[in-house]
Amino acid sequence: MHEKEDFGTGANHYVSSLFHATRQQGVDPMPLLAEAGLPLSVIDQPEQRIPTEKLANFQKYVWDRMQDEAMGLAGCSLPAGTYYMMGQLTVHQPTLGKALALGCRFYNLVTRRELISLTDDGRHTLLSINLPRPELDYKHLFAEIALLSWHRYASWLIADSLPLVETHFNYPAPAHVGEYSYLYPGVHQFDCDDLSLVFSNIYLNRPVKQNEGSLKSFMNNCPRELFRRYKTDYSVTTELKRILTKELTDGGLTIDQAAAALHMTTRTLTRRLSEEGASFQQIKNVVRRDLAIRWLVGPDDIAIHDVAERVGFSDPAVFTRAFRSWTGDSPRRYRDKFRQGR
């Protein structure tokens, strides 16, 4: 998903997975697809991106038709309106931490399971999705939507993008993994034991800045609102990503140069990043990885050695080793897997 338009475009994977998952639940997706303004010809066409607003509308029509926000994919039902009622309860809380804790408790009462959990290791907080029957989740569709929904809602509550240190996925990297750099900013860890958003616990004390009036607007625009990137993100992590993305093809910046560009000392930059649960090298690797993936799987068929140069590696062999450490695959194998629609 990109920012050229208000909502941009989404990977074909999402509309196709929604289509097939709905059919598996015994619901005819054809009229819902037509209502969203999407032709049947878009289904199962990996190279064809979908306007995100139409994708979001299709998802809403599926929710409304099935009267289950889990779409039968979680092993437990989430009656229509669950997300909105969670918002009604949590928007009045004083801090993000209290809001998330109450939101988790509400979901667990509705499902009579520990579907959502919030844990703290002293530095980082993990918001985890615990599916009772993960084998029912068609191509991990509910897992992706649930993580996205909670991250976007948490960001909206504090009127700022909540920086993610990591996102844990309890499944292998999918073919559309290039989309994850937009959906879940930060480092992605696959084949984990948990399905979690990981962020610095300093954000638990951030005040809730929304109210019941703004909640109504947010929820009326869901799920479209979930795909909107918050423009009020002034975190140092995000600012550093923007600077590194602009300068990367010229060999990148040192931490001293980056600090100067941000009008702070290197020591201050290091401290601010640590407070957000990040480090300079970690962010630089994320930017390199995400740009490399974008160019590897893009339509222009850029040579691998050119991709290496674009992300600041003069030696393609060094780039290959780094890319394998980020994704588990060499650049060539990663590109081949994507094209095969693994």
Side-chain angles (χ1 to χ4, degrees), residues 14 98 192 200 276:
Y14 295 105
K98 290 184 180 297
C192 298
S200 172
E276 294 178 9

Side-chain angles (χ1 to χ4, degrees), residues 73-134:
L73 303 177
C76 59
S77 177
L78 291 174
T82 300
Y83 193 55
Y84 179 72
M85 287 304 299
M86 181 271 292
Q88 287 275 358
L89 286 173
T90 58
V91 76
H92 302 291
Q93 296 300 303
T95 65
L96 177 63
K98 290 184 180 297
L100 292 179
L102 185 57
C104 293
R105 184 180 177 190
F106 173 72
Y107 263 73
N108 296 341
L109 284 171
V110 168
T111 61
R112 297 185 179 182
R113 294 174 171 85
E114 192 178 3
L115 181 67
I116 315 291
S117 61
L118 201 65
T119 57
D120 193 330
D121 66 5
R123 183 183 181 192
H124 296 139
T125 296
L126 277 75
L127 189 153
S128 303
I129 314 293
N130 311 298
L131 299 186
R133 297 188 60 189

